[in-house]
């Protein structure tokens, strides 16, 4: 009899079946096969034989199943006839009546069932990282699971390539039964463990404890040290009593270091750590090591516009201000004398314990040349030097390195009226002068050039230009109060405007004139002239008296104006 249940899934009507087949119809083998194929069903079969790269398996049905030989691993070795094997029924090749089987898929399903029977979401598992895949890593925990790159560690590593081949512990985050997919996290497992460790650590530690930690991260301002569940900050200023440029000068990633707990903020779960605090501060006995006035050697570690910092020992640096670098040199920038790395001798000038600052001096290691300046440059001594700088009021003459004297324009010539020092001297000129005065307190030396020769106003000029004598000269300058006539190089006389009006003359610069000397004022170093050459003695005396009166009036005006000499001799009152 025909088992009608075999045809139920094909929706064949019973009457139609009886009519078509009758009682003696023999059911085709392929109908049995179709009924037997239950996709995704795992069955146990027996290996019948190997045919090339195919393995024929008897699973108890009319037709044999076929499985590829490469689904057996190298560790398992090739199958042998008679071996029992679990396979997954995948499909029926209707053209050939062959049932397609998969041992590999059956193995994966059994592995999945074994893992999901043992573990669920939130459970801890372990496995080996097989390879890098898109977005993360493939991990073998009995089945292949996905570890996202963001879940590899507490801080996402810049590259996950180095994790391939490592055995890890992780936590199952998600199980997708339909897609047979599992996502795991190593980070979640670490965070949970650290949370427990953090709680225990905060309950155990106190300020002042010495603990061991591992450097996990480094920034410009310091390093983060894992104390076991919580990170503490080791600030760069707490790494060393000495100067360091960057935290990497002291520590490296993964270093195991001992640190001192400086402060614990339990509310915000923050810990401040110190490395230098494990050792005594070098400032503890600073007065004994570096008494004021002591000469010591040090290394220049930094140079600023205002001075240089000199390291006396680790943690002890002093400032040599630019003003304390040289007794004599005009230092515009400390780099003119020192550079980083230079070994220098210094003298301790002062210590500020509150601010932990030391003032140092370089120039104090040498004798101050101004201490015996009067012996080296006594008044009246003749000295030689080089013109270093020129101004409208004089020239600075370098007598030795750092020692300058001022040669004022008024002390350059007895006769010549100078408006700028460059009218007589140039930079670099070598000159010999006389020391006029020395001011030790203000560190100034006054020099004179004209003093090397006798004053002609007291000797030759009154004799050569006696009143009444007629001389020749050239008009050098014309002003509103008269004309200056050059009688000889560096010697001029004045034709007052009243004399010009008397003679009805308007001279021009460069014009040669014969003039008559009215008077010579040696005290004020001035000569009065007249164009009237043939005046009688009586007229000449009158001219002289008028010239003296004008001179007196001019001096009175100058005194009222508060100046020693605001204008030329014989200038009219009120005129410049």
């Amino acid at each position: 009899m025909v088992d009608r249940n075999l045809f139920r899934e094909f929706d064949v009507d019973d009457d139609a079946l009886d009519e078509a087949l009758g009682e003696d119809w023999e059911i085709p083998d392929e109908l049995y096969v179709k009924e037997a194929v239950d996709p995704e069903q795992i069955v146990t079969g027996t290996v019948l034989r190997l045919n090339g790269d195919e393995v024929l398996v008897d699973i108890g049905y009319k037709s044999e199943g076929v499985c590829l030989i490469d689904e057996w691993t190298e560790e398992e070795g090739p199958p042998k006839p008679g071996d029992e094997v679990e396979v997954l029924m995948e499909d029926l090749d209707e053209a050939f009546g062959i049932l397609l089987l998969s041992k590999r898929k059956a193995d994966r399903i059994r592995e999945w069932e074994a893992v999901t029977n043992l573990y669920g979401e939130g459970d801890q598992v372990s496995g080996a990282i097989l390879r890098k895949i898109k977005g993360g890593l493939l991990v073998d925990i009995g089945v292949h699971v996905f570890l996202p790159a963001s879940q590899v560690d507490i801080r996402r590593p810049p590259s996950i390539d180095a994790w391939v081949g490592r055995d890890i512990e992780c936590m199952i985050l998600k199980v997708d039964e339909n897609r047979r997919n599992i996502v795991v996290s190593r980070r979640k497992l670490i965070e949970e463990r650290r949370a427990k460790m953090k709680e225990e650590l905060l309950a155990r530690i106190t300020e002042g404890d010495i603990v061991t930690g591992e450097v996990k991260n480094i920034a410009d301002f310091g390093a983060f040290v894992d104390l076991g569940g919580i990170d503490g900050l080791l600030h760069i200023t707490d790494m060393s009593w000495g100067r360091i440029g960057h935290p990497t000068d002291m520590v490296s990633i993964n270093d195991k270091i001992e640190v001192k707990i400086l402060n614990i903020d339990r509310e915000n779960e923050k810990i401040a750590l110190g490395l230098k605090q494990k050792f005594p501060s070098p400032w503890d006995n600073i007065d004994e090591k570096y008494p004021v006035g002591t000469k010591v050697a040090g290394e220049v570690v930094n140079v600023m516009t205002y001075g240089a910092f000199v390291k006396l020992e680790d943690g002890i640096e002093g400032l040599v201000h630019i003003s304390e670098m040289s007794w004599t040199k005009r230092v515009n920038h400390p780099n003119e004398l020192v550079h980083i790395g230079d070994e220098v001798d210094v003298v301790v000038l002062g210590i500020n314990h509150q601010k932990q600052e030391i003032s140092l001096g370089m120039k104090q290691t040498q004798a101050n040349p101004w201490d015996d300046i009067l012996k080296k440059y006594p008044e009246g001594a003749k000295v030689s030097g080089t013109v270093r700088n020129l101004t409208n009021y004089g020239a600075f003459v370098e007598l030795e390195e750092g020692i300058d004297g001022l040669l004022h324009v008024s002390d350059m010539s007895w006769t010549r009226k100078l408006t700028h020092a460059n009218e007589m001297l140039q930079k670099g000129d070598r000159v010999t002068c006389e020391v006029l005065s020395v001011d030790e307190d203000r560190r100034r030396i006054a020099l004179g050039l004209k003093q090397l020769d006798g004053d002609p106003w007291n000797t030759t000029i009154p004799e050569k230009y006696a009143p009444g004598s007629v001389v020749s000269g050239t008009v050098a300058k014309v002003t509103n109060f008269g004309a200056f006539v050059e009688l000889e190089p560096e010697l001029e006389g004045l034709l007052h405007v009243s004399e010009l009006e008397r003679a009805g003359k308007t001279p021009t610069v460069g014009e040669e004139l014969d003039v008559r000397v009215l008077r010579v004022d040696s005290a004020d170093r001035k000569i009065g002239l007249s164009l009237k050459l043939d005046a009688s003695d009586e007229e000449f005396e009158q001219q002289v008296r008028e010239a003296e009166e004008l001179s007196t009036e001019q001096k009175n005006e100058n005194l009222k104006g508060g100046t020693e000499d605001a204008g030329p001799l014989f200038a009219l009152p009120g005129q410049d």
Side-chain angles (χ1 to χ4, degrees), residues 327-560:
W327 291 113
T328 56
K329 289 183 179 178
R330 295 167 183 81
V331 185
N332 297 313
H333 194 282
N335 272 335
E336 296 173 14
L337 295 179
V338 296
H339 297 86
I340 292 177
D342 287 353
E343 294 288 336
V344 294
D345 289 330
V346 292
V347 170
V348 179
L349 303 181
I351 299 175
N352 187 326
H353 297 83
Q354 184 176 359
K355 294 183 177 180
Q356 293 192 341
E357 294 175 348
I358 298 182
S359 299
L360 305 174
M362 286 171 53
K363 68 184 183 182
Q364 288 78 4
T365 62
Q366 301 173 346
N368 184 355
W370 284 92
D371 289 344
D372 59 348
I373 199 72
L374 287 175
K375 294 180 181 179
K376 297 175 67 175
Y377 303 104
E379 292 183 11
K382 289 181 175 57
V383 293
S384 296
T386 303
V387 177
R388 187 179 59 81
N389 196 20
L390 298 170
T391 69
N392 60 344
Y393 57 84
F396 288 94
V397 180
E398 186 177 54
L399 305 179
E400 61 179 77
E401 187 177 23
I403 302 293
D404 285 355
L406 174 61
L407 175 57
H408 198 271
V409 288
S410 62
D411 290 309
M412 289 184 179
S413 172
W414 291 111
T415 56
R416 189 171 175 182
K417 296 186 180 296
L418 303 174
T419 58
H420 198 284
N422 60 13
E423 295 175 23
M424 279 195 68
L425 298 171
Q426 298 297 322
K427 269 188 180 182
D429 285 355
R430 189 75 179 170
V431 295
T432 300
C433 305
E434 181 179 313
V435 177
L436 302 182
S437 65
V438 177
D439 187 337
E440 286 184 273
D441 295 334
R442 300 173 69 185
R443 297 187 177 182
R444 292 181 179 178
I445 299 176
L447 303 175
L449 186 62
K450 69 182 184 182
Q451 286 80 1
L452 296 176
D453 301 318
D455 186 354
W457 287 95
N458 294 327
T459 55
T460 58
I461 291 177
E463 295 176 2
K464 188 174 181 180
Y465 300 98
S469 59
V470 177
V471 294
S472 297
T474 303
V475 177
K477 183 168 57 175
V478 178
T479 70
N480 61 341
F481 53 80
F484 287 94
V485 179
E486 185 179 47
L487 305 177
E488 60 181 72
E490 300 186 6
L491 181 63
E492 294 177 352
L494 175 65
L495 278 171
H496 195 268
V497 65
S498 60
E499 291 296 329
L500 297 178
E501 291 173 351
R502 194 193 310 273
K505 176 72 173 176
T506 304
T508 58
V509 175
E511 181 180 356
E512 292 188 3
L513 297 175
D514 289 331
V515 293
R516 190 174 188 182
V517 179
L518 289 178
R519 65 190 295 269
V520 177
D521 188 340
S522 295
D524 290 333
R525 304 179 186 280
K526 295 175 180 177
I527 298 176
L529 304 175
S530 173
L531 286 173
K532 194 169 180 62
L533 306 181
D534 56 353
S536 63
D537 292 342
E538 190 174 320
E539 291 175 329
F540 178 72
E541 289 177 4
Q542 179 63 30
Q543 286 179 283
V544 171
R545 283 194 298 271
E546 291 176 359
E548 289 176 348
E549 290 174 2
L550 286 171
S551 177
T552 301
E553 291 176 4
Q554 182 64 64
K555 287 181 181 179
N556 290 335
E557 287 295 321
N558 291 342
L559 290 174
K560 289 179 183 178

